[in-house]
Amino acid sequence: MARITASVYTSHVPAIGAALDHGKSNEPYWKPVFQGYDFSKQWLRDNRPDVIFLVYNDHATAFSLDMIPTFAIGTAASFAPADEGFGRRPVPVVQGHPELAAHIAQSVIQQDFDLTIVNKMEVDHGLTVPLSLMCGQQDPVTGAWPCPVIPFAVNVVQYPVPSGRRCFMLGQAIAKAVASFDEDLKVQIWGTGGMSHQLQGPRAGLINKAFDNAFLDKLIADPAAAAAIPHIDYVREAGSEGIELVMWLIARGAMADITGGKPPNVRHRFYHVPASNTAVGHLILENS
Ligand code: DHB
Ligand code: FE
């Protein structure tokens, strides 16, 4: 059977992708950001999954105000990086896993979560920047990401957005779906976005280190308490884009301890300010 082996949490700041793509990762501003992922790149090489289930948000790239799916699962065989206005990122096309994605859609919808099924989609920085951070720079033509990726897009851009509690419950349903897939696959689930940031309005530039670190503590040791945080607290404390953190609760809800297993091992924790307008947070939790 398939099983979830680990969860990874990371910010997805688009300027991180631009820094990598333009060879700036050794500049003094960016070096400390990328150093926080040195361990992670080695860890991913040592713990290579068969599939990554990557929870992210689309930033009005594949979707727009014309169509706003709350939860969308990518079931295609491949997903090209999108042109977000400055050309496509020079990174490999993302290969999907249509069989596992279709199985998860079937199982999760039957567990009462309504997913939008997306058979054709391009993916933006929300998905490609976490891959670059964890896998390093890959040649767009001769390179490849280490394994197939199932993109799972969450609406955190246009209100109403899903609650942290619902995201946490959805993670549990995804874990159950993975565990009923009849193939011996190691699956990692990644929750991306966050941490505190606000990109517009009078509070643009807001960063809240105390909130972010308390969130990391709670996510590790008391995830149900993290899941109970209401929207208004994210917006007040972590800024309007801090709401992206609800996506981390999907990944956390899929870990074994939530349904009676052992607490996860914290393999890596990293926090750094600034990266563009955002506080970068990163965790690796392994199921024991
Ligand atoms: C920034 C962060 C984001 O999460 C995003 O989607 C766009 C921009 C930033 O910090 O600049
Ligand atoms: Fe974002």
Short mmCIF file of all heavy atoms in Angstrom, two decimals, residues 24-91:
data_model
loop_
_atom_site.label_atom_id
_atom_site.label_comp_id
_atom_site.label_asym_id
_atom_site.label_seq_id
_atom_site.Cartn_x
_atom_site.Cartn_y
_atom_site.Cartn_z
N LYS A 24 21.69 34.42 -8.32
CA LYS A 24 21.98 35.35 -7.22
C LYS A 24 21.98 34.66 -5.85
O LYS A 24 22.01 35.35 -4.83
CB LYS A 24 20.93 36.47 -7.20
CG LYS A 24 20.99 37.34 -8.45
CD LYS A 24 20.04 38.51 -8.34
CE LYS A 24 20.26 39.43 -9.55
NZ LYS A 24 19.37 40.56 -9.55
N SER A 25 21.97 33.34 -5.83
CA SER A 25 21.76 32.67 -4.54
C SER A 25 22.95 32.84 -3.59
O SER A 25 22.81 32.61 -2.39
CB SER A 25 21.40 31.20 -4.74
OG SER A 25 22.32 30.59 -5.59
N ASN A 26 24.13 33.23 -4.10
CA ASN A 26 25.28 33.46 -3.21
C ASN A 26 25.43 34.91 -2.78
O ASN A 26 26.36 35.23 -2.04
CB ASN A 26 26.56 32.97 -3.89
CG ASN A 26 26.74 31.48 -3.64
OD1 ASN A 26 26.47 30.99 -2.54
ND2 ASN A 26 27.16 30.75 -4.66
N GLU A 27 24.53 35.77 -3.24
CA GLU A 27 24.61 37.17 -2.80
C GLU A 27 24.27 37.27 -1.31
O GLU A 27 23.48 36.46 -0.81
CB GLU A 27 23.64 38.03 -3.63
CG GLU A 27 24.13 38.18 -5.06
CD GLU A 27 23.29 39.16 -5.88
OE1 GLU A 27 22.29 39.69 -5.35
OE2 GLU A 27 23.66 39.36 -7.05
N PRO A 28 24.85 38.25 -0.60
CA PRO A 28 24.67 38.33 0.86
C PRO A 28 23.19 38.34 1.29
O PRO A 28 22.84 37.78 2.32
CB PRO A 28 25.35 39.65 1.23
CG PRO A 28 26.30 39.93 0.11
CD PRO A 28 25.77 39.28 -1.12
N TYR A 29 22.33 38.96 0.49
CA TYR A 29 20.91 39.01 0.87
C TYR A 29 20.28 37.61 0.83
O TYR A 29 19.48 37.26 1.69
CB TYR A 29 20.15 39.95 -0.09
CG TYR A 29 18.66 40.09 0.23
CD1 TYR A 29 18.21 41.05 1.12
CD2 TYR A 29 17.73 39.24 -0.36
CE1 TYR A 29 16.86 41.17 1.42
CE2 TYR A 29 16.37 39.36 -0.07
CZ TYR A 29 15.95 40.33 0.81
OH TYR A 29 14.61 40.45 1.12
N TRP A 30 20.66 36.82 -0.20
CA TRP A 30 19.97 35.54 -0.42
C TRP A 30 20.65 34.35 0.24
O TRP A 30 20.00 33.33 0.51
CB TRP A 30 19.82 35.27 -1.93
CG TRP A 30 18.81 36.18 -2.55
CD1 TRP A 30 19.05 37.19 -3.43
CD2 TRP A 30 17.40 36.17 -2.33
NE1 TRP A 30 17.87 37.82 -3.76
CE2 TRP A 30 16.85 37.22 -3.10
CE3 TRP A 30 16.54 35.39 -1.54
CZ2 TRP A 30 15.48 37.50 -3.11
CZ3 TRP A 30 15.18 35.66 -1.55
CH2 TRP A 30 14.67 36.71 -2.32
N LYS A 31 21.97 34.47 0.46
CA LYS A 31 22.72 33.31 0.95
C LYS A 31 22.10 32.68 2.21
O LYS A 31 21.91 31.46 2.26
CB LYS A 31 24.17 33.71 1.21
CG LYS A 31 25.11 32.55 1.10
CD LYS A 31 26.56 32.99 1.13
CE LYS A 31 27.39 31.72 1.17
NZ LYS A 31 28.80 31.97 1.06
N PRO A 32 21.75 33.50 3.23
CA PRO A 32 21.18 32.88 4.44
C PRO A 32 19.85 32.18 4.19
O PRO A 32 19.51 31.22 4.88
CB PRO A 32 20.99 34.06 5.40
CG PRO A 32 21.51 35.28 4.74
CD PRO A 32 21.95 34.94 3.35
N VAL A 33 19.10 32.64 3.19
CA VAL A 33 17.83 31.97 2.87
C VAL A 33 18.13 30.57 2.35
O VAL A 33 17.59 29.57 2.85
CB VAL A 33 17.03 32.76 1.80
CG1 VAL A 33 15.76 32.00 1.41
CG2 VAL A 33 16.69 34.17 2.29
N PHE A 34 19.02 30.48 1.36
CA PHE A 34 19.29 29.18 0.73
C PHE A 34 20.03 28.24 1.68
O PHE A 34 19.84 27.03 1.63
CB PHE A 34 20.04 29.37 -0.59
CG PHE A 34 19.15 30.00 -1.64
CD1 PHE A 34 19.34 31.32 -2.03
CD2 PHE A 34 18.11 29.29 -2.21
CE1 PHE A 34 18.51 31.91 -2.97
CE2 PHE A 34 17.27 29.87 -3.16
CZ PHE A 34 17.47 31.18 -3.54
N GLN A 35 20.87 28.82 2.58
CA GLN A 35 21.58 27.97 3.55
C GLN A 35 20.59 27.19 4.43
O GLN A 35 20.87 26.07 4.84
CB GLN A 35 22.50 28.81 4.43
CG GLN A 35 23.87 28.99 3.78
CD GLN A 35 24.77 29.95 4.54
OE1 GLN A 35 24.31 30.72 5.40
NE2 GLN A 35 26.05 29.93 4.23
N GLY A 36 19.45 27.80 4.67
CA GLY A 36 18.43 27.14 5.48
C GLY A 36 17.87 25.89 4.82
O GLY A 36 17.18 25.10 5.48
N TYR A 37 18.16 25.72 3.53
CA TYR A 37 17.66 24.56 2.78
C TYR A 37 18.77 23.58 2.41
O TYR A 37 18.50 22.59 1.73
CB TYR A 37 16.90 25.04 1.53
CG TYR A 37 15.59 25.72 1.89
CD1 TYR A 37 15.57 27.04 2.32
CD2 TYR A 37 14.39 25.02 1.86
CE1 TYR A 37 14.39 27.66 2.69
CE2 TYR A 37 13.19 25.63 2.23
CZ TYR A 37 13.20 26.95 2.64
OH TYR A 37 12.02 27.56 3.02
N ASP A 38 20.01 23.84 2.85
CA ASP A 38 21.11 22.90 2.53
C ASP A 38 20.80 21.52 3.12
O ASP A 38 20.92 20.50 2.43
CB ASP A 38 22.44 23.43 3.10
CG ASP A 38 23.00 24.57 2.26
OD1 ASP A 38 22.52 24.75 1.11
OD2 ASP A 38 23.90 25.29 2.75
N PHE A 39 20.41 21.51 4.40
CA PHE A 39 20.06 20.23 5.04
C PHE A 39 18.94 19.56 4.25
O PHE A 39 18.96 18.35 4.00
CB PHE A 39 19.62 20.47 6.50
CG PHE A 39 19.05 19.22 7.13
CD1 PHE A 39 19.88 18.32 7.79
CD2 PHE A 39 17.68 18.92 7.04
CE1 PHE A 39 19.36 17.14 8.33
CE2 PHE A 39 17.17 17.75 7.58
CZ PHE A 39 18.00 16.86 8.24
N SER A 40 17.96 20.36 3.86
CA SER A 40 16.73 19.81 3.26
C SER A 40 17.01 19.14 1.92
O SER A 40 16.42 18.11 1.60
CB SER A 40 15.73 20.94 3.07
OG SER A 40 15.70 21.73 4.24
N LYS A 41 17.91 19.74 1.15
CA LYS A 41 18.24 19.16 -0.17
C LYS A 41 18.90 17.79 0.01
O LYS A 41 18.58 16.85 -0.70
CB LYS A 41 19.14 20.12 -0.97
CG LYS A 41 18.34 21.33 -1.49
CD LYS A 41 19.09 22.09 -2.54
CE LYS A 41 20.21 22.89 -1.99
NZ LYS A 41 20.03 24.34 -2.03
N GLN A 42 19.81 17.72 1.00
CA GLN A 42 20.45 16.41 1.27
C GLN A 42 19.42 15.42 1.80
O GLN A 42 19.39 14.26 1.40
CB GLN A 42 21.62 16.60 2.25
CG GLN A 42 22.47 15.35 2.44
CD GLN A 42 23.04 14.82 1.11
OE1 GLN A 42 23.60 15.58 0.31
NE2 GLN A 42 22.87 13.52 0.85
N TRP A 43 18.57 15.91 2.71
CA TRP A 43 17.53 15.03 3.28
C TRP A 43 16.63 14.47 2.18
O TRP A 43 16.31 13.27 2.19
CB TRP A 43 16.69 15.83 4.30
CG TRP A 43 15.51 15.07 4.83
CD1 TRP A 43 15.51 14.18 5.88
CD2 TRP A 43 14.17 15.09 4.32
NE1 TRP A 43 14.24 13.66 6.04
CE2 TRP A 43 13.41 14.21 5.10
CE3 TRP A 43 13.54 15.78 3.28
CZ2 TRP A 43 12.04 13.98 4.88
CZ3 TRP A 43 12.19 15.56 3.05
CH2 TRP A 43 11.44 14.66 3.84
N LEU A 44 16.29 15.31 1.20
CA LEU A 44 15.39 14.84 0.13
C LEU A 44 16.12 13.81 -0.76
O LEU A 44 15.50 12.84 -1.21
CB LEU A 44 14.88 16.01 -0.72
CG LEU A 44 13.76 15.67 -1.69
CD1 LEU A 44 12.51 15.17 -0.96
CD2 LEU A 44 13.41 16.86 -2.58
N ARG A 45 17.44 14.01 -0.96
CA ARG A 45 18.21 13.01 -1.72
C ARG A 45 18.25 11.68 -0.96
O ARG A 45 18.15 10.62 -1.56
CB ARG A 45 19.63 13.51 -1.99
CG ARG A 45 19.71 14.52 -3.15
CD ARG A 45 21.15 14.79 -3.58
NE ARG A 45 21.90 15.57 -2.60
CZ ARG A 45 21.97 16.91 -2.58
NH1 ARG A 45 21.35 17.62 -3.50
NH2 ARG A 45 22.66 17.54 -1.65
N ASP A 46 18.36 11.77 0.38
CA ASP A 46 18.45 10.55 1.20
C ASP A 46 17.08 9.91 1.43
O ASP A 46 17.00 8.74 1.82
CB ASP A 46 19.05 10.88 2.59
CG ASP A 46 20.49 11.36 2.49
OD1 ASP A 46 21.13 11.12 1.44
OD2 ASP A 46 20.97 12.00 3.45
N ASN A 47 16.04 10.67 1.29
CA ASN A 47 14.68 10.19 1.58
C ASN A 47 13.78 10.49 0.38
O ASN A 47 12.76 11.17 0.51
CB ASN A 47 14.11 10.88 2.83
CG ASN A 47 14.91 10.56 4.07
OD1 ASN A 47 14.68 9.55 4.72
ND2 ASN A 47 15.87 11.42 4.38
N ARG A 48 14.21 9.98 -0.75
CA ARG A 48 13.51 10.32 -1.98
C ARG A 48 12.15 9.63 -2.04
O ARG A 48 12.05 8.41 -1.96
CB ARG A 48 14.38 9.87 -3.15
CG ARG A 48 13.88 10.31 -4.49
CD ARG A 48 14.89 9.89 -5.54
NE ARG A 48 14.27 9.93 -6.85
CZ ARG A 48 14.95 10.17 -7.96
NH1 ARG A 48 16.24 10.39 -7.88
NH2 ARG A 48 14.35 10.16 -9.10
N PRO A 49 11.07 10.43 -2.16
CA PRO A 49 9.74 9.82 -2.22
C PRO A 49 9.45 9.31 -3.64
O PRO A 49 10.17 9.64 -4.59
CB PRO A 49 8.82 10.99 -1.89
CG PRO A 49 9.56 12.20 -2.38
CD PRO A 49 11.03 11.89 -2.25
N ASP A 50 8.40 8.52 -3.77
CA ASP A 50 7.93 8.11 -5.11
C ASP A 50 7.00 9.16 -5.69
O ASP A 50 6.91 9.29 -6.91
CB ASP A 50 7.21 6.76 -5.01
CG ASP A 50 8.15 5.67 -4.52
OD1 ASP A 50 9.21 5.50 -5.13
OD2 ASP A 50 7.83 5.03 -3.49
N VAL A 51 6.30 9.87 -4.81
CA VAL A 51 5.38 10.92 -5.25
C VAL A 51 5.37 12.03 -4.20
O VAL A 51 5.45 11.74 -2.99
CB VAL A 51 3.92 10.39 -5.39
CG1 VAL A 51 2.99 11.46 -5.94
CG2 VAL A 51 3.84 9.14 -6.26
N ILE A 52 5.28 13.28 -4.65
CA ILE A 52 5.06 14.41 -3.74
C ILE A 52 3.64 14.93 -3.97
O ILE A 52 3.27 15.23 -5.12
CB ILE A 52 6.08 15.54 -3.98
CG1 ILE A 52 7.51 15.07 -3.66
CG2 ILE A 52 5.73 16.78 -3.15
CD1 ILE A 52 8.60 16.00 -4.16
N PHE A 53 2.87 15.01 -2.89
CA PHE A 53 1.54 15.63 -2.95
C PHE A 53 1.75 17.06 -2.46
O PHE A 53 2.03 17.29 -1.29
CB PHE A 53 0.58 14.85 -2.03
CG PHE A 53 -0.85 15.28 -2.15
CD1 PHE A 53 -1.70 14.65 -3.05
CD2 PHE A 53 -1.35 16.32 -1.37
CE1 PHE A 53 -3.04 15.03 -3.17
CE2 PHE A 53 -2.69 16.72 -1.49
CZ PHE A 53 -3.52 16.07 -2.38
N LEU A 54 1.69 18.02 -3.38
CA LEU A 54 2.15 19.37 -3.08
C LEU A 54 0.97 20.35 -2.96
O LEU A 54 0.34 20.70 -3.96
CB LEU A 54 3.16 19.82 -4.16
CG LEU A 54 4.15 20.90 -3.72
CD1 LEU A 54 5.39 20.91 -4.61
CD2 LEU A 54 3.55 22.28 -3.63
N VAL A 55 0.71 20.74 -1.73
CA VAL A 55 -0.38 21.67 -1.44
C VAL A 55 0.15 23.09 -1.61
O VAL A 55 1.16 23.46 -0.98
CB VAL A 55 -0.91 21.48 0.00
CG1 VAL A 55 -2.07 22.43 0.28
CG2 VAL A 55 -1.32 20.02 0.23
N TYR A 56 -0.49 23.87 -2.46
CA TYR A 56 -0.01 25.23 -2.74
C TYR A 56 -1.21 26.08 -3.13
O TYR A 56 -2.33 25.58 -3.23
CB TYR A 56 1.02 25.21 -3.90
CG TYR A 56 0.39 25.00 -5.26
CD1 TYR A 56 0.35 26.03 -6.20
CD2 TYR A 56 -0.21 23.79 -5.60
CE1 TYR A 56 -0.25 25.85 -7.43
CE2 TYR A 56 -0.82 23.60 -6.83
CZ TYR A 56 -0.83 24.63 -7.75
OH TYR A 56 -1.44 24.46 -8.96
N ASN A 57 -0.96 27.37 -3.34
CA ASN A 57 -2.05 28.16 -3.90
C ASN A 57 -1.64 28.77 -5.23
O ASN A 57 -0.48 29.16 -5.42
CB ASN A 57 -2.53 29.25 -2.92
CG ASN A 57 -1.53 30.36 -2.71
OD1 ASN A 57 -0.49 30.16 -2.10
ND2 ASN A 57 -1.83 31.54 -3.21
N ASP A 58 -2.61 28.80 -6.10
CA ASP A 58 -2.47 29.46 -7.38
C ASP A 58 -2.72 30.95 -7.15
O ASP A 58 -3.62 31.33 -6.41
CB ASP A 58 -3.51 28.88 -8.33
CG ASP A 58 -3.48 29.54 -9.69
OD1 ASP A 58 -2.60 29.20 -10.49
OD2 ASP A 58 -4.33 30.43 -9.94
N HIS A 59 -1.87 31.80 -7.77
CA HIS A 59 -1.98 33.25 -7.56
C HIS A 59 -2.60 33.89 -8.79
O HIS A 59 -1.96 34.67 -9.50
CB HIS A 59 -0.60 33.86 -7.29
CG HIS A 59 0.07 33.31 -6.07
ND1 HIS A 59 0.64 32.07 -6.02
CD2 HIS A 59 0.27 33.87 -4.85
CE1 HIS A 59 1.17 31.88 -4.82
NE2 HIS A 59 0.96 32.95 -4.09
N ALA A 60 -3.86 33.54 -9.09
CA ALA A 60 -4.58 34.08 -10.25
C ALA A 60 -3.79 33.81 -11.54
O ALA A 60 -3.72 34.65 -12.43
CB ALA A 60 -4.88 35.57 -10.09
N THR A 61 -3.19 32.61 -11.61
CA THR A 61 -2.42 32.21 -12.79
C THR A 61 -3.25 31.21 -13.60
O THR A 61 -3.66 31.50 -14.73
CB THR A 61 -1.08 31.57 -12.36
OG1 THR A 61 -0.38 32.49 -11.54
CG2 THR A 61 -0.24 31.20 -13.55
N ALA A 62 -3.50 30.03 -13.02
CA ALA A 62 -4.34 29.02 -13.69
C ALA A 62 -5.81 29.38 -13.52
O ALA A 62 -6.63 29.12 -14.40
CB ALA A 62 -4.06 27.64 -13.11
N PHE A 63 -6.15 29.95 -12.38
CA PHE A 63 -7.52 30.35 -12.09
C PHE A 63 -7.56 31.88 -12.04
O PHE A 63 -6.53 32.53 -12.01
CB PHE A 63 -8.00 29.76 -10.76
CG PHE A 63 -7.79 28.27 -10.66
CD1 PHE A 63 -7.04 27.72 -9.64
CD2 PHE A 63 -8.33 27.42 -11.62
CE1 PHE A 63 -6.83 26.34 -9.55
CE2 PHE A 63 -8.13 26.04 -11.55
CZ PHE A 63 -7.38 25.50 -10.51
N SER A 64 -8.77 32.42 -12.02
CA SER A 64 -8.93 33.87 -11.94
C SER A 64 -10.26 34.12 -11.25
O SER A 64 -10.90 33.17 -10.79
CB SER A 64 -8.96 34.47 -13.34
OG SER A 64 -10.16 34.09 -13.99
N LEU A 65 -10.71 35.35 -11.23
CA LEU A 65 -12.02 35.62 -10.64
C LEU A 65 -13.14 34.96 -11.46
O LEU A 65 -14.27 34.86 -10.99
CB LEU A 65 -12.26 37.13 -10.53
CG LEU A 65 -11.38 37.84 -9.50
CD1 LEU A 65 -11.71 39.33 -9.44
CD2 LEU A 65 -11.51 37.23 -8.11
N ASP A 66 -12.83 34.47 -12.66
CA ASP A 66 -13.84 33.75 -13.46
C ASP A 66 -14.23 32.44 -12.81
O ASP A 66 -15.33 31.95 -13.01
CB ASP A 66 -13.28 33.41 -14.86
CG ASP A 66 -13.15 34.65 -15.73
OD1 ASP A 66 -13.64 35.72 -15.31
OD2 ASP A 66 -12.53 34.53 -16.81
N MET A 67 -13.27 31.85 -12.08
CA MET A 67 -13.49 30.50 -11.56
C MET A 67 -12.62 30.33 -10.33
O MET A 67 -11.40 30.51 -10.41
CB MET A 67 -13.05 29.49 -12.63
CG MET A 67 -13.81 28.21 -12.59
SD MET A 67 -13.02 26.97 -13.58
CE MET A 67 -12.79 27.79 -15.14
N ILE A 68 -13.24 30.03 -9.17
CA ILE A 68 -12.49 30.01 -7.92
C ILE A 68 -12.73 28.69 -7.19
O ILE A 68 -13.58 28.62 -6.30
CB ILE A 68 -12.90 31.21 -7.02
CG1 ILE A 68 -12.81 32.53 -7.81
CG2 ILE A 68 -12.04 31.27 -5.77
CD1 ILE A 68 -13.48 33.70 -7.12
N PRO A 69 -12.02 27.62 -7.57
CA PRO A 69 -12.18 26.37 -6.82
C PRO A 69 -11.55 26.49 -5.44
O PRO A 69 -10.43 27.01 -5.31
CB PRO A 69 -11.45 25.33 -7.68
CG PRO A 69 -10.59 26.08 -8.61
CD PRO A 69 -11.02 27.52 -8.63
N THR A 70 -12.25 26.02 -4.43
CA THR A 70 -11.69 26.05 -3.07
C THR A 70 -10.54 25.06 -2.95
O THR A 70 -9.46 25.41 -2.47
CB THR A 70 -12.79 25.75 -2.03
OG1 THR A 70 -13.83 26.70 -2.20
CG2 THR A 70 -12.26 25.84 -0.61
N PHE A 71 -10.78 23.82 -3.42
CA PHE A 71 -9.74 22.79 -3.41
C PHE A 71 -9.70 22.15 -4.79
O PHE A 71 -10.72 21.65 -5.27
CB PHE A 71 -10.07 21.69 -2.39
CG PHE A 71 -10.16 22.15 -0.96
CD1 PHE A 71 -11.35 22.05 -0.25
CD2 PHE A 71 -9.05 22.67 -0.30
CE1 PHE A 71 -11.44 22.46 1.07
CE2 PHE A 71 -9.13 23.07 1.03
CZ PHE A 71 -10.33 22.97 1.71
N ALA A 72 -8.54 22.16 -5.44
CA ALA A 72 -8.43 21.62 -6.80
C ALA A 72 -7.27 20.63 -6.88
O ALA A 72 -6.14 20.96 -6.50
CB ALA A 72 -8.23 22.74 -7.81
N ILE A 73 -7.54 19.41 -7.38
CA ILE A 73 -6.48 18.41 -7.50
C ILE A 73 -6.08 18.24 -8.96
O ILE A 73 -6.94 18.10 -9.84
CB ILE A 73 -6.92 17.07 -6.85
CG1 ILE A 73 -5.74 16.07 -6.84
CG2 ILE A 73 -8.16 16.46 -7.52
CD1 ILE A 73 -5.94 14.91 -5.88
N GLY A 74 -4.79 18.29 -9.21
CA GLY A 74 -4.26 18.16 -10.58
C GLY A 74 -4.11 16.69 -10.94
O GLY A 74 -3.30 15.99 -10.34
N THR A 75 -4.87 16.24 -11.92
CA THR A 75 -4.87 14.82 -12.31
C THR A 75 -4.17 14.60 -13.65
O THR A 75 -4.20 13.49 -14.18
CB THR A 75 -6.33 14.30 -12.40
OG1 THR A 75 -7.08 15.28 -13.13
CG2 THR A 75 -6.96 14.12 -11.04
N ALA A 76 -3.54 15.64 -14.19
CA ALA A 76 -2.91 15.52 -15.51
C ALA A 76 -1.59 14.73 -15.43
O ALA A 76 -1.05 14.49 -14.35
CB ALA A 76 -2.62 16.92 -16.07
N ALA A 77 -1.09 14.35 -16.60
CA ALA A 77 0.19 13.64 -16.69
C ALA A 77 1.35 14.61 -16.53
O ALA A 77 2.45 14.21 -16.12
CB ALA A 77 0.29 12.91 -18.01
N SER A 78 1.13 15.89 -16.87
CA SER A 78 2.21 16.87 -16.68
C SER A 78 1.63 18.27 -16.52
O SER A 78 0.48 18.54 -16.93
CB SER A 78 3.19 16.83 -17.86
OG SER A 78 2.53 17.24 -19.03
N PHE A 79 2.43 19.15 -15.93
CA PHE A 79 2.02 20.52 -15.63
C PHE A 79 3.18 21.44 -15.99
O PHE A 79 4.25 21.37 -15.36
CB PHE A 79 1.69 20.66 -14.14
CG PHE A 79 0.67 19.67 -13.65
CD1 PHE A 79 1.08 18.42 -13.18
CD2 PHE A 79 -0.69 19.96 -13.69
CE1 PHE A 79 0.15 17.49 -12.75
CE2 PHE A 79 -1.63 19.03 -13.26
CZ PHE A 79 -1.21 17.80 -12.79
N ALA A 80 2.98 22.31 -16.95
CA ALA A 80 4.05 23.21 -17.37
C ALA A 80 4.13 24.40 -16.42
O ALA A 80 3.11 24.87 -15.90
CB ALA A 80 3.80 23.69 -18.79
N PRO A 81 5.36 24.93 -16.18
CA PRO A 81 5.47 26.16 -15.40
C PRO A 81 4.80 27.31 -16.17
O PRO A 81 4.96 27.42 -17.38
CB PRO A 81 6.97 26.38 -15.26
CG PRO A 81 7.66 25.32 -16.03
CD PRO A 81 6.66 24.40 -16.63
N ALA A 82 4.08 28.15 -15.44
CA ALA A 82 3.32 29.22 -16.08
C ALA A 82 4.18 30.45 -16.34
O ALA A 82 5.19 30.66 -15.67
CB ALA A 82 2.16 29.61 -15.16
N ASP A 83 3.77 31.24 -17.30
CA ASP A 83 4.33 32.58 -17.49
C ASP A 83 3.52 33.53 -16.61
O ASP A 83 2.35 33.78 -16.86
CB ASP A 83 4.22 32.98 -18.96
CG ASP A 83 4.87 34.34 -19.23
OD1 ASP A 83 5.12 35.07 -18.26
OD2 ASP A 83 5.10 34.64 -20.42
N GLU A 84 4.16 34.04 -15.53
CA GLU A 84 3.44 34.90 -14.59
C GLU A 84 3.65 36.37 -14.91
O GLU A 84 3.40 37.23 -14.06
CB GLU A 84 3.89 34.58 -13.16
CG GLU A 84 3.59 33.14 -12.77
CD GLU A 84 4.03 32.82 -11.35
OE1 GLU A 84 3.61 33.51 -10.42
OE2 GLU A 84 4.80 31.86 -11.18
N GLY A 85 4.13 36.66 -16.11
CA GLY A 85 4.30 38.05 -16.50
C GLY A 85 5.73 38.40 -16.85
O GLY A 85 6.00 39.41 -17.49
N PHE A 86 6.69 37.57 -16.42
CA PHE A 86 8.11 37.81 -16.70
C PHE A 86 8.71 36.65 -17.49
O PHE A 86 9.90 36.42 -17.44
CB PHE A 86 8.89 38.02 -15.39
CG PHE A 86 8.39 39.19 -14.59
CD1 PHE A 86 7.46 39.02 -13.58
CD2 PHE A 86 8.83 40.47 -14.89
CE1 PHE A 86 6.99 40.10 -12.86
CE2 PHE A 86 8.36 41.56 -14.16
CZ PHE A 86 7.43 41.38 -13.14
N GLY A 87 7.84 35.88 -18.16
CA GLY A 87 8.30 34.68 -18.85
C GLY A 87 8.20 33.48 -17.92
O GLY A 87 8.05 33.63 -16.71
N ARG A 88 8.31 32.29 -18.52
CA ARG A 88 8.24 31.07 -17.72
C ARG A 88 9.52 30.89 -16.94
O ARG A 88 10.59 31.18 -17.47
CB ARG A 88 8.06 29.85 -18.63
CG ARG A 88 6.74 29.80 -19.33
CD ARG A 88 6.67 28.64 -20.31
NE ARG A 88 5.55 28.86 -21.22
CZ ARG A 88 4.28 28.56 -20.93
NH1 ARG A 88 4.00 27.96 -19.78
NH2 ARG A 88 3.32 28.83 -21.76
N ARG A 89 9.43 30.41 -15.72
CA ARG A 89 10.66 30.07 -14.99
C ARG A 89 11.39 28.96 -15.76
O ARG A 89 10.75 28.01 -16.23
CB ARG A 89 10.35 29.56 -13.58
CG ARG A 89 9.97 30.64 -12.59
CD ARG A 89 10.08 30.12 -11.16
NE ARG A 89 11.45 29.78 -10.84
CZ ARG A 89 11.82 28.79 -10.01
NH1 ARG A 89 10.91 28.06 -9.40
NH2 ARG A 89 13.09 28.55 -9.79
N PRO A 90 12.71 29.05 -15.87
CA PRO A 90 13.46 28.01 -16.58
C PRO A 90 13.64 26.78 -15.70
O PRO A 90 14.75 26.48 -15.23
CB PRO A 90 14.79 28.70 -16.89
CG PRO A 90 14.95 29.70 -15.80
CD PRO A 90 13.58 30.15 -15.41
N VAL A 91 12.56 26.09 -15.46
CA VAL A 91 12.59 24.87 -14.63
C VAL A 91 11.87 23.76 -15.39
O VAL A 91 11.08 24.03 -16.29
CB VAL A 91 11.92 25.10 -13.25
CG1 VAL A 91 12.73 26.08 -12.42
CG2 VAL A 91 10.48 25.58 -13.39
#
